[in-house]
Amino acid sequence: MAIALLPLLILGGFQAQSAFRNQDAERRSDLQLAAERTAAGAKARLDSTGILLMALRPEALEVFCEPRLSDLVDRLEDLEGLVRLTPTGATACASDSLGASPPAWLTAVGSSPWFERLRAGEGTVLARAPAVAGQPPGLIVAIRLERPLGRFDGVMAAVVPLSRLQPDVDDPALPEGSQAALTDADGRLLTASDIGAFTLTGDEPLTGWIQRARSDASAIFEANDADGQHRVYAGAALAGRDVYALLSAPAPGLLSWARLNPVGALVTPLLAWFLAFSMVMLVSERIVIRWLNYLERVASIYAKGRFSVRPVQAMNAPAEIRVLARTLDELAESIVTRDAALTASLAEKDALMREIHHRVKNNLQIISSLLSMQQRALTDPASKAAVGDTRQRISALALIYRTLYQSDDLRYADARVFLTELVGQLVASETGRGHLVTSSVEADSLVVDPDKLAPLALWLVEAVTNAQKHAFVGRGGDLKVRFIVHGDTSVLEVQDDGPGVSETFRAGVGRTLMGAFAKQLRGSVEMVPAQGGGMVARMTFATPEAVVPTDPTDLGTPAGSSR
């Protein structure tokens, strides 16, 4: 959002830059106009001095030259001295301020450049009067005197104190920090309000702008003063080519545009950007963000499976938000309807599967009952034993289906529950036919599918049947069944306390079936003597993929855990 509103600040920056350029041009123009005003003011003083000299030509002085010149100097504050020079440069008469102890420049006038210029034909000349002890620096204003036929007849000169020509820097139109000065034709300072402001650093002396002023009648340039401050200079010719007025002001700095117009150049664009940003954020919060947060909370509730909540508050939101809320509501209603249909379908399928498992179990029990009847009708012991073994195998399969339709999940059964019931069923079937056999089951919980449970059950049937035939016949005994899960490998053991392994068992059908069932589980079978007597039938096989054990701590517990 802030980036989107950034063009406001950029536009404000361009406007500030344009205003700064205009103000800088105005500053330069004001400085140039002030220089021209300064030159005009000083020129007016010099023009009045020139008029006075014209009025004091030799024919007007007569024999009272010196007293009259002295009296005029005393009366006029703008004059430091008056002097009449002969065509050779000698002093004809002078005011008391110059005559009592004439300065050095007055004794060598005949060879001075400004005198030569007047002798050559110039009408008026301005020249710097060298400073002498006890006298302030001044400016020589001299006019050419001629005889009736135009022959050079000497010079009438006045010395004007430079302090009277000092430019005024209190002009309110001048920029802050402005300074003023007068220079001669060589760019040398005659007088200045601050000498340091006109002492330039670098390669360009003040004479550089003198050349431009002579060609353009005015000049503006920039330079660094003695203090290293960057300044703007503007000048104008004061009188002919002899004296120039020069004004200086600090150059605008990098951030001066902000000082020139802080409200219009800086505060106004920032305030406009901030107000626009605040209004957009406020409107977005009230119209969009608040409702999006509300819909996000509703969606998170849906993600947790709670579809009873409806976004009813969004009915007061803008049209686009209402459409989105209505879509979420329809989505939740569709999910609820679909879940109800799926739940009903699953319940129906569950009932059908339970009914199928129940009927399969009943059919297997019927087959087992038929075999039992057939077994009783047989007289051959071998045949009766074979039918009995088959009946037990069928009963084991029937137990699988009973375990499935009685479990919470029709697709899986807990091996610990199933093995416990199967051992109990096998031992109970032989209880009334011989001596007492006790049993114990130690099994870990492992929830597996029926395809893995069937060979496990049939292997256990063969192992228990063989123990009943060869270990417990005529004597009874103790049967121990252990099912231990060791991570990726599981072990199922059947231990009896009989006389041990017999050759008959090794070559019998039971051993062959046990090997076949073990291969279905990617395992192996071994018959080993038990400690203290008896035999252990052990099947080691790859642990079937577990689903969710009834007791998760059972998966991978050490062997010998009792249940």
Side-chain angles (χ1 to χ4, degrees), residues 515-536:
F517 295 141
K519 288 181 179 180
Q520 294 183 26
L521 295 174
R522 295 183 299 162
S524 60
V525 179
E526 57 180 339
M527 311 297 292
V528 295
Q531 293 182 357
M535 183 185 69
V536 176

mmCIF file of all heavy atoms in Angstrom, residues 515-536:
data_model
loop_
_atom_site.group_PDB
_atom_site.id
_atom_site.type_symbol
_atom_site.label_atom_id
_atom_site.label_comp_id
_atom_site.label_asym_id
_atom_site.label_seq_id
_atom_site.Cartn_x
_atom_site.Cartn_y
_atom_site.Cartn_z
ATOM 1 N N GLY A 515 5.766 -75.438 7.460
ATOM 2 C CA GLY A 515 6.741 -74.792 6.578
ATOM 3 C C GLY A 515 6.076 -73.992 5.482
ATOM 4 O O GLY A 515 6.524 -72.901 5.105
ATOM 5 N N ALA A 516 4.947 -74.520 4.942
ATOM 6 C CA ALA A 516 4.238 -73.819 3.870
ATOM 7 C C ALA A 516 3.616 -72.520 4.391
ATOM 8 O O ALA A 516 3.676 -71.472 3.726
ATOM 9 C CB ALA A 516 3.170 -74.730 3.277
ATOM 10 N N PHE A 517 3.021 -72.619 5.577
ATOM 11 C CA PHE A 517 2.413 -71.406 6.139
ATOM 12 C C PHE A 517 3.482 -70.358 6.476
ATOM 13 O O PHE A 517 3.269 -69.143 6.337
ATOM 14 C CB PHE A 517 1.602 -71.749 7.390
ATOM 15 C CG PHE A 517 0.416 -72.629 7.105
ATOM 16 C CD1 PHE A 517 0.051 -73.656 7.990
ATOM 17 C CD2 PHE A 517 -0.332 -72.453 5.950
ATOM 18 C CE1 PHE A 517 -1.041 -74.461 7.729
ATOM 19 C CE2 PHE A 517 -1.439 -73.271 5.691
ATOM 20 C CZ PHE A 517 -1.776 -74.278 6.571
ATOM 21 N N ALA A 518 4.641 -70.784 6.929
ATOM 22 C CA ALA A 518 5.729 -69.858 7.253
ATOM 23 C C ALA A 518 6.219 -69.139 6.003
ATOM 24 O O ALA A 518 6.547 -67.940 6.030
ATOM 25 C CB ALA A 518 6.868 -70.596 7.937
ATOM 26 N N LYS A 519 6.278 -69.848 4.867
ATOM 27 C CA LYS A 519 6.719 -69.205 3.630
ATOM 28 C C LYS A 519 5.751 -68.115 3.188
ATOM 29 O O LYS A 519 6.154 -67.117 2.592
ATOM 30 C CB LYS A 519 6.864 -70.258 2.532
ATOM 31 C CG LYS A 519 8.067 -71.181 2.735
ATOM 32 C CD LYS A 519 8.180 -72.186 1.605
ATOM 33 C CE LYS A 519 9.396 -73.086 1.814
ATOM 34 N NZ LYS A 519 9.525 -74.088 0.710
ATOM 35 N N GLN A 520 4.461 -68.301 3.447
ATOM 36 C CA GLN A 520 3.495 -67.254 3.111
ATOM 37 C C GLN A 520 3.767 -65.958 3.872
ATOM 38 O O GLN A 520 3.432 -64.872 3.391
ATOM 39 C CB GLN A 520 2.071 -67.736 3.398
ATOM 40 C CG GLN A 520 1.629 -68.884 2.514
ATOM 41 C CD GLN A 520 0.182 -69.267 2.796
ATOM 42 O OE1 GLN A 520 -0.624 -68.458 3.250
ATOM 43 N NE2 GLN A 520 -0.159 -70.523 2.505
ATOM 44 N N LEU A 521 4.386 -66.098 5.050
ATOM 45 C CA LEU A 521 4.720 -64.923 5.867
ATOM 46 C C LEU A 521 6.170 -64.510 5.714
ATOM 47 O O LEU A 521 6.672 -63.705 6.507
ATOM 48 C CB LEU A 521 4.424 -65.225 7.344
ATOM 49 C CG LEU A 521 2.954 -65.465 7.689
ATOM 50 C CD1 LEU A 521 2.827 -65.902 9.153
ATOM 51 C CD2 LEU A 521 2.136 -64.222 7.455
ATOM 52 N N ARG A 522 6.861 -65.058 4.700
ATOM 53 C CA ARG A 522 8.279 -64.772 4.469
ATOM 54 C C ARG A 522 9.109 -65.087 5.724
ATOM 55 O O ARG A 522 9.912 -64.306 6.185
ATOM 56 C CB ARG A 522 8.495 -63.310 4.066
ATOM 57 C CG ARG A 522 7.880 -62.950 2.736
ATOM 58 C CD ARG A 522 8.190 -61.514 2.375
ATOM 59 N NE ARG A 522 7.641 -60.597 3.360
ATOM 60 C CZ ARG A 522 8.032 -59.329 3.503
ATOM 61 N NH1 ARG A 522 9.018 -58.874 2.743
ATOM 62 N NH2 ARG A 522 7.477 -58.559 4.411
ATOM 63 N N GLY A 523 8.819 -66.316 6.284
ATOM 64 C CA GLY A 523 9.522 -66.715 7.490
ATOM 65 C C GLY A 523 10.072 -68.136 7.391
ATOM 66 O O GLY A 523 10.047 -68.769 6.345
ATOM 67 N N SER A 524 10.565 -68.614 8.519
ATOM 68 C CA SER A 524 11.141 -69.964 8.599
ATOM 69 C C SER A 524 10.705 -70.612 9.892
ATOM 70 O O SER A 524 10.335 -69.923 10.854
ATOM 71 C CB SER A 524 12.668 -69.902 8.513
ATOM 72 O OG SER A 524 13.179 -69.131 9.587
ATOM 73 N N VAL A 525 10.808 -71.946 9.937
ATOM 74 C CA VAL A 525 10.371 -72.732 11.094
ATOM 75 C C VAL A 525 11.550 -73.530 11.613
ATOM 76 O O VAL A 525 12.366 -74.038 10.828
ATOM 77 C CB VAL A 525 9.213 -73.676 10.718
ATOM 78 C CG1 VAL A 525 8.799 -74.511 11.927
ATOM 79 C CG2 VAL A 525 8.035 -72.873 10.167
ATOM 80 N N GLU A 526 11.609 -73.628 12.920
ATOM 81 C CA GLU A 526 12.612 -74.484 13.539
ATOM 82 C C GLU A 526 12.005 -75.146 14.767
ATOM 83 O O GLU A 526 11.151 -74.582 15.449
ATOM 84 C CB GLU A 526 13.849 -73.667 13.928
ATOM 85 C CG GLU A 526 13.571 -72.502 14.864
ATOM 86 C CD GLU A 526 14.837 -71.737 15.202
ATOM 87 O OE1 GLU A 526 15.930 -72.309 15.050
ATOM 88 O OE2 GLU A 526 14.720 -70.566 15.636
ATOM 89 N N MET A 527 12.482 -76.368 15.027
ATOM 90 C CA MET A 527 12.040 -77.148 16.189
ATOM 91 C C MET A 527 13.264 -77.310 17.075
ATOM 92 O O MET A 527 14.252 -77.930 16.683
ATOM 93 C CB MET A 527 11.491 -78.505 15.757
ATOM 94 C CG MET A 527 10.479 -78.447 14.615
ATOM 95 S SD MET A 527 8.983 -77.526 15.043
ATOM 96 C CE MET A 527 8.279 -78.616 16.257
ATOM 97 N N VAL A 528 13.200 -76.766 18.278
ATOM 98 C CA VAL A 528 14.355 -76.804 19.173
ATOM 99 C C VAL A 528 13.903 -77.332 20.525
ATOM 100 O O VAL A 528 12.741 -77.179 20.928
ATOM 101 C CB VAL A 528 14.970 -75.402 19.327
ATOM 102 C CG1 VAL A 528 15.541 -74.915 18.000
ATOM 103 C CG2 VAL A 528 13.945 -74.423 19.870
ATOM 104 N N PRO A 529 14.833 -78.019 21.238
ATOM 105 C CA PRO A 529 14.478 -78.486 22.594
ATOM 106 C C PRO A 529 14.274 -77.294 23.530
ATOM 107 O O PRO A 529 14.949 -76.263 23.421
ATOM 108 C CB PRO A 529 15.685 -79.318 23.007
ATOM 109 C CG PRO A 529 16.398 -79.621 21.725
ATOM 110 C CD PRO A 529 16.142 -78.494 20.812
ATOM 111 N N ALA A 530 13.343 -77.458 24.462
ATOM 112 C CA ALA A 530 13.075 -76.417 25.442
ATOM 113 C C ALA A 530 13.902 -76.666 26.688
ATOM 114 O O ALA A 530 14.260 -77.801 27.008
ATOM 115 C CB ALA A 530 11.594 -76.389 25.802
ATOM 116 N N GLN A 531 14.236 -75.598 27.373
ATOM 117 C CA GLN A 531 14.977 -75.743 28.628
ATOM 118 C C GLN A 531 14.078 -76.429 29.654
ATOM 119 O O GLN A 531 12.939 -76.035 29.850
ATOM 120 C CB GLN A 531 15.407 -74.368 29.143
ATOM 121 C CG GLN A 531 16.448 -73.678 28.264
ATOM 122 C CD GLN A 531 16.875 -72.336 28.841
ATOM 123 O OE1 GLN A 531 16.349 -71.904 29.866
ATOM 124 N NE2 GLN A 531 17.856 -71.722 28.200
ATOM 125 N N GLY A 532 14.620 -77.454 30.326
ATOM 126 C CA GLY A 532 13.854 -78.192 31.326
ATOM 127 C C GLY A 532 13.024 -79.297 30.728
ATOM 128 O O GLY A 532 12.218 -79.907 31.431
ATOM 129 N N GLY A 533 13.174 -79.555 29.413
ATOM 130 C CA GLY A 533 12.426 -80.615 28.768
ATOM 131 C C GLY A 533 11.319 -80.078 27.893
ATOM 132 O O GLY A 533 10.793 -78.988 28.106
ATOM 133 N N GLY A 534 10.958 -80.870 26.913
ATOM 134 C CA GLY A 534 9.910 -80.443 26.006
ATOM 135 C C GLY A 534 10.491 -79.917 24.705
ATOM 136 O O GLY A 534 11.688 -80.033 24.422
ATOM 137 N N MET A 535 9.610 -79.336 23.917
ATOM 138 C CA MET A 535 9.997 -78.864 22.597
ATOM 139 C C MET A 535 9.395 -77.487 22.356
ATOM 140 O O MET A 535 8.316 -77.154 22.848
ATOM 141 C CB MET A 535 9.512 -79.847 21.529
ATOM 142 C CG MET A 535 9.922 -79.487 20.118
ATOM 143 S SD MET A 535 9.189 -80.595 18.888
ATOM 144 C CE MET A 535 7.464 -80.114 19.018
ATOM 145 N N VAL A 536 10.124 -76.716 21.545
ATOM 146 C CA VAL A 536 9.649 -75.382 21.135
ATOM 147 C C VAL A 536 9.553 -75.371 19.630
ATOM 148 O O VAL A 536 10.546 -75.602 18.928
ATOM 149 C CB VAL A 536 10.594 -74.263 21.618
ATOM 150 C CG1 VAL A 536 10.134 -72.911 21.087
ATOM 151 C CG2 VAL A 536 10.669 -74.249 23.132
#
